[in-house]
Amino acid sequence: MATLGDIGMSALINILGAFAFLLAFALLRIQPLNDRVYFTKWYIEGQRSSPSRRGDGLVGRFVNLNYRTYLTFLNWMPQALQMKEPQIIEHAGLDSAVFLRIYRLGLKIFGPIAIVAAIVLFPVNASGGTLFFLQHDLVVNNIDKLSISNIHPKSNKFLVHIGLEYLFTFWACYMLYKEYDKVASMRLSFLASCGRHPAQFTVLVRNVPRDPNRSISETVDNFFQRNHPDYYLCHQSVYKAKKFAKLVKKRIKLQNQLNYNQLKFERNPKKRPTRKKGFLGLWGERVDSIDYFEQQIKDLDEQVKIEREKVMKDPKAVTRAAFVSFKTRWGAAVCAQTQQSKNPTLWLTYWAPEPRDIYWKNLGIPFVSLSIRKLIISVAMFGLIFFYFIPVAFVQSLANIEGLSKALPFLRPILDRKLVKSFLQGFVPGLALKIFLLLLPSILMVMSKIEGHVAVSVLEQKTAAKYYYFMLVNVFLGSIATGTAFQQLNAFLHQSATEIPRNIGVSIPMKASFFITYIMIDGWAGIAGEILRLKPLAFFHLKRMFLVKTERDLEKAMRPKGVDFPETLPSLQLYFLLGIVYMAVTPILLPFILVFFAFAYFVYRHQVINVYNQKYESAAAFWPHVHNRIIASLVVSQLLLMGLLSTKKATNSTPLLVVLPILTLTFHKYCKHRFEPAFRNDPLEESMSKDLEDGATELDGEFKSQLMDAYLHPIFHNIEGVEDEIRIEKN
């Protein structure tokens, strides 16, 4: 178990690491060569041009020669706080603005709690003295003496912890209510302020019944003409066209090569570019590059045309799903929120995701297979959680050197070295756990895709849910269970079975030291690494050196991405869980969490403004999940405190806590009925109001044309767009 000295060493390492990352970022961001990596958002919006074009000669294209910028290289810090929330919503979207509010919520909840805990709980816990008499049996340190474990069994001091648990819970619920109310209002205002866009008028229909006398398209058209005659406008069938998609991608690559060679010839008209006809141009007959790629594109266009006609005419290529568009928002809202058939398994309707939010590959999955897929993934998820107990147990063995040295004396000569022990207990366990979790979000995303969800936003929400449950079971409960077993191994092996519950009850609060080291590695150094963007920076320069030929290639090399919700939201919720569970048990953990929330808010604000580019806009649809999991953390905290007090023989005090989970769940139910409908449904009243404001009795021709093409698969859009002139970097 990490001692105060071990945590001090971990803090020193992580603070120095974070400072090094921040210093490197401050210097790298002002170099012209890195401008596209650290200001990606502004390039995408066309509000920033490469400083290399304004540089001072050849060297100035790569290195910033203006010495004044080095004197003010830290000015990015105040700049990150200048943009107000309405400006962030306009600049980056509501999802990004609400994401930042989660960090502010953490500060609002835990700031006052930490102050009260420091004033009240620290003196109460420190005055207990129980661990002084148990230190021969259990592994304890000075941090544990500030926890509830230091209180004598049957002590009246437990009433202080129970009272503060009530106070802290009420404060957290009050802040959650205010935040839910605010976010719901922001969502409704955001949706009301949005202009007309296809998702407001379109419904996704799945499990369309097959009719032997009609095609799927004819069946859809006939059904909605008959049942929604006044509001039905058009529909777009969903096709399975893997071969066609491959041909389109190949054509785009060839067009890019042709554009590059044409521009190369324009720069030097005296010499036409040439290449070899063999693989990657490495061998074979040397030919004119422009003529070669023009002929390749001409031949491929014939294949594309044939394959497209084949897909459009083949009934097997049409799936039992369609996007149905209506003349008014009201008509779409009625269709999306009502049952369409007497058979509830047919003609299933949902609000269509916005076009850029659709995960097209899953639209072709038969609806009947979705339940089977979800069952298989549930079983796989259980196996994955069970498998990951092995690395978690290994991490806890590193975190509890003293427990292992007592049980395995032959390791003591190595483990008792002070520097080795401090490094192993204070830094390595948290780092090892972070490494074991690196690939997990990608694995969980693949599992969510297999489940068959058709929107990228839903895929990310489902992945975040899986990751949260994994963090709850493995990282939190698993670390406590395996850590307690390793930590108190000597006590478990040499004491009677009746003493084991007492040792577990005393040991659970002591795991705060491990979580403190994890917070410093993941929440301090990890967040500093996020702003440095070392991986995107390296990939950008490697691609620029070997792959970038045109402006299109340069845009792809920037790899613009949005907030990584599947990973960041579960990690955030883990910090809420740790803070809530330990706020009345081992409050020494709270200052470390506050540093994380403040630092992360600062860093992600900068990233949202300058770097991230969201792929979609869900209007903060993820907020109910955030709220629900914070409520779950409150209930877990209350149940664990009840169990802990029962091991401390506080039978007279424990019943006082029984009411608290009931009150918390009642509050949750009220919030669910009060606010959640704003995130699930589109009120008919709002839809009608928007229609009346637009005068949308009839859509204008331009928007009607846009609506009819919006949900056409991207590969079926006119591929002539790739023939537009692509500018090459002059430098």
Side-chain angles (χ1 to χ4, degrees):
M1 176 182 8
T3 64
L4 188 60
D6 301 335
I7 291 177
M9 171 170 278
S10 179
L12 179 62
I13 293 173
N14 286 289
I15 290 173
L16 290 177
F19 180 77
F21 286 154
L22 291 175
L23 184 61
F25 161 73
L27 295 175
L28 289 172
R29 70 185 286 272
I30 61 177
Q31 306 306 319
L33 198 63
N34 305 323
D35 203 59
R36 288 180 177 267
V37 178
Y38 294 113
F39 297 95
T40 308
K41 177 71 173 176
W42 300 104
Y43 276 93
I44 292 173
E45 293 185 349
Q47 299 184 33
R48 191 178 181 94
S49 59
S50 177
S52 61
R53 295 173 181 172
R54 309 185 303 266
D56 303 322
L58 180 63
V59 177
R61 295 176 180 176
F62 303 98
V63 180
N64 189 340
L65 300 178
N66 184 358
Y67 72 92
R68 293 185 180 88
T69 58
Y70 290 92
L71 301 178
T72 59
F73 69 97
L74 293 178
N75 63 358
W76 65 272
M77 295 183 176
Q79 288 175 0
L81 300 176
Q82 288 178 358
M83 188 176 287
K84 304 298 182 182
E85 188 172 72
Q87 295 173 304
I88 291 178
I89 294 174
E90 182 179 355
H91 174 69
L94 185 62
D95 284 345
S96 299
V98 172
F99 171 72
L100 294 175
R101 291 188 69 92
I102 302 175
Y103 293 94
R104 289 169 54 188
L105 177 64
L107 293 172
K108 291 176 183 178
I109 290 177
F110 293 116
I113 289 177
I115 295 173
V116 174
I119 296 173
V120 179
L121 281 182
F122 282 179
V124 170
N125 291 338
S127 63
T130 297
L131 295 181
F132 176 80
F133 300 101
L134 296 176
Q135 59 187 356
H136 297 293
D137 296 327
L138 303 177
V139 180
V140 299
N141 60 41
N142 290 330
I143 292 179
D144 301 326
K145 294 176 183 178
L146 295 176
S147 74
I148 197 174
S149 298
N150 201 34
I151 305 297
H152 286 286
K154 300 182 181 180
S155 173
N156 291 330
K157 293 181 179 180
F158 290 126
L159 293 174
V160 177
H161 298 84
I162 294 173
L164 288 182
E165 183 74 13
Y166 269 91
L167 178 64
F168 294 163
T169 298
F170 290 158
W171 171 251
C173 289
Y174 171 70
M175 296 308 304
L176 282 172
Y177 178 85
K178 289 187 62 178
E179 198 66 22
Y180 213 151
D181 187 24
K182 178 65 176 177
V183 172
S185 299
M186 291 172 64
R187 174 182 168 86
L188 293 175
S189 299
F190 179 80
L191 293 175
S193 65
C194 289
R196 289 192 299 185
H197 58 84
Q200 297 173 342
F201 296 83
T202 306
V203 170
L204 172 62
V205 182
R206 305 191 74 176
N207 219 24
V208 177
R210 293 192 180 277
D211 187 333
N213 300 319
R214 292 191 180 97
S215 66
I216 293 293
S217 180
E218 292 172 339
T219 301
V220 172
D221 190 69
N222 180 70
F223 179 85
F224 284 95
Q225 287 280 12
R226 186 176 68 251
N227 295 288
H228 298 268
D230 297 328
Y231 300 101
Y232 170 66
L233 177 64
C234 62
H235 75 277
Q236 185 59 251
S237 299
V238 178
Y239 297 90
K240 293 182 289 186
K242 291 184 179 179
K243 183 178 179 180
F244 181 77
K246 291 180 180 178
L247 291 175
V248 171
K249 289 180 180 178
K250 183 178 179 180
R251 191 199 186 283
I252 292 174
K253 291 180 180 179
L254 289 174
Q255 185 67 49
N256 200 38
Q257 290 281 356
L258 176 60
N259 289 333
Y260 168 69
N261 283 280
Q262 287 175 336
L263 293 170
K264 188 176 181 181
F265 178 62
E266 288 178 8
R267 290 197 305 170
N268 187 10
K270 296 181 180 180
K271 182 180 180 182
R272 288 180 67 87
T274 60
R275 60 163 283 143
K276 294 181 179 180
K277 295 177 66 174
F279 178 71
L280 295 178
L282 298 177
W283 58 74
E285 179 186 356
R286 182 168 291 279
V287 296
D288 183 282
S289 297
I290 296 176
D291 295 339
Y292 173 80
F293 286 114
E294 284 179 344
Q295 185 61 43
Q296 289 282 311
I297 291 174
K298 183 178 179 181
D299 295 340
L300 189 61
D301 281 344
E302 290 297 322
Q303 298 180 46
V304 169
K305 183 179 179 181
I306 294 172
E307 185 63 25
R308 179 170 183 168
E309 292 177 354
K310 181 180 177 181
V311 169
M312 300 296 284
K313 293 179 180 179
D314 184 6
K316 295 181 180 179
V318 184
T319 68
R320 296 173 61 189
F323 291 100
V324 179
S325 298
F326 293 82
K327 299 175 183 178
T328 64
R329 299 179 183 87
W330 190 90
V334 170
C335 181
Q337 297 168 178
T338 56
Q339 182 175 317
Q340 302 299 309
S341 171
K342 59 184 178 182
N343 185 344
T345 63
L346 299 176
W347 296 105
L348 304 176
T349 55
Y350 315 87
W351 276 111
E354 61 171 316
R356 58 180 179 166
D357 189 21
I358 298 173
Y359 187 69
W360 293 94
K361 293 182 180 179
N362 281 354
L363 282 171
I365 297 175
F367 184 81
V368 293
S369 70
L370 294 180
S371 299
I372 300 174
R373 287 168 173 261
K374 290 178 181 178
L375 177 62
I376 294 173
I377 293 302
S378 298
V379 175
M381 184 67 186
F382 177 81
L384 185 65
I385 291 176
F386 180 79
F387 169 78
Y388 257 85
F389 265 112
I390 299 173
V392 169
F394 170 73
V395 168
Q396 291 305 317
S397 70
L398 296 175
N400 298 291
I401 302 297
E402 294 177 351
L404 282 180
S405 64
K406 284 187 176 183
L408 305 172
F410 64 89
L411 294 176
R412 189 169 296 170
I414 299 175
L415 301 179
D416 283 351
R417 295 180 180 179
K418 187 174 181 180
L419 187 61
V420 172
K421 182 189 293 186
S422 295
F423 182 74
L424 288 178
Q425 292 192 148
F427 183 73
V428 172
L431 180 62
L433 183 59
K434 180 69 175 174
I435 292 173
F436 281 127
L437 296 177
L438 282 178
L439 294 177
L440 189 61
S442 299
I443 296 172
L444 297 179
M445 176 58 80
V446 172
M447 295 172 70
S448 297
K449 289 179 179 178
I450 294 173
E451 285 182 320
H453 305 290
V454 298
V456 176
S457 57
V458 176
L459 283 172
E460 294 193 347
Q461 289 175 17
K462 297 298 181 181
T463 303
K466 293 180 179 67
Y467 197 22
Y468 169 75
Y469 295 134
F470 182 92
M471 301 279 270
L472 174 64
V473 175
N474 283 67
V475 176
F476 180 67
L477 297 177
S479 294
I480 288 177
T482 57
T484 300
F486 278 108
Q487 183 174 307
Q488 312 305 344
L489 191 58
N490 183 62
F492 290 164
L493 292 177
H494 297 93
Q495 292 186 2
S496 64
T498 58
E499 296 295 318
I500 291 179
R502 183 204 66 167
N503 291 332
I504 293 178
V506 172
S507 301
I508 288 177
M510 299 179 187
K511 290 309 300 175
S513 58
F514 165 74
F515 289 122
I516 287 173
T517 62
Y518 178 76
I519 290 169
M520 287 189 290
I521 290 174
D522 181 66
W524 294 10
I527 294 298
E530 169 63 28
I531 200 172
L532 179 58
R533 305 196 76 217
L534 195 58
K535 181 180 175 182
L537 180 68
F539 275 100
F540 173 76
H541 287 303
L542 287 174
K543 289 182 178 180
R544 190 164 189 171
M545 288 172 60
F546 300 108
L547 300 177
V548 170
K549 297 179 179 179
T550 67
E551 188 77 11
R552 184 188 293 270
D553 292 336
L554 194 59
E555 291 176 2
K556 290 181 179 179
M558 289 192 296
R559 297 184 66 197
K561 68 167 189 174
V563 179
D564 191 5
F565 288 121
E567 185 172 356
T568 54
L569 286 182
S571 298
L572 257 174
Q573 289 150 8
L574 175 66
Y575 289 119
F576 274 102
L577 175 66
L578 293 176
I580 290 171
V581 166
Y582 282 101
M583 62 187 178
V585 174
T586 312
I588 190 63
L589 181 139
L590 294 179
F592 296 90
I593 287 185
L594 285 173
V595 171
F596 159 75
F597 278 116
F599 185 37
Y601 173 72
F602 188 81
V603 167
Y604 279 111
R605 211 174 197 279
H606 175 274
Q607 301 297 82
V608 162
I609 294 172
N610 296 301
V611 179
Y612 294 151
N613 183 54
Q614 290 300 113
K615 296 179 181 178
Y616 61 85
E617 177 58 58
S618 70
F622 57 83
W623 180 259
H625 302 291
V626 175
H627 175 89
N628 294 345
R629 286 163 196 160
I630 296 176
I631 292 291
S633 299
L634 288 170
V635 175
V636 169
S637 171
Q638 295 151 12
L639 295 178
L640 287 179
L641 184 58
M642 290 171 62
L644 180 58
L645 291 178
S646 67
T647 65
K648 303 286 281 186
K649 300 179 182 179
T651 54
N652 296 329
S653 304
T654 304
L656 298 175
L657 274 175
V658 174
V659 181
L660 194 52
I662 299 174
L663 294 176
T664 305
L665 292 175
T666 302
F667 167 76
H668 168 62
K669 186 176 181 181
Y670 171 77
C671 288
K672 186 179 180 67
H673 289 292
R674 172 67 178 83
F675 300 116
E676 195 166 313
F679 295 83
R680 297 286 177 262
N681 303 313
D682 193 358
L684 296 180
E685 180 183 14
E686 289 293 323
S687 299
M688 180 59 75
S689 297
K690 293 176 186 176
D691 288 335
L692 293 175
E693 288 176 9
D694 291 347
T697 53
E698 282 294 333
L699 298 176
D700 58 81
E702 182 179 350
F703 184 73
K704 186 182 294 185
S705 176
Q706 178 188 350
L707 198 59
M708 295 176 71
D709 291 339
Y711 288 94
L712 182 66
H713 195 292
I715 63 172
F716 287 103
H717 284 292
N718 194 336
I719 60 176
E720 291 180 1
V722 302
E723 298 178 0
D724 295 337
E725 181 180 354
I726 302 175
R727 293 172 291 106
I728 189 171
E729 283 280 81
K730 301 301 180 184
N731 58 328

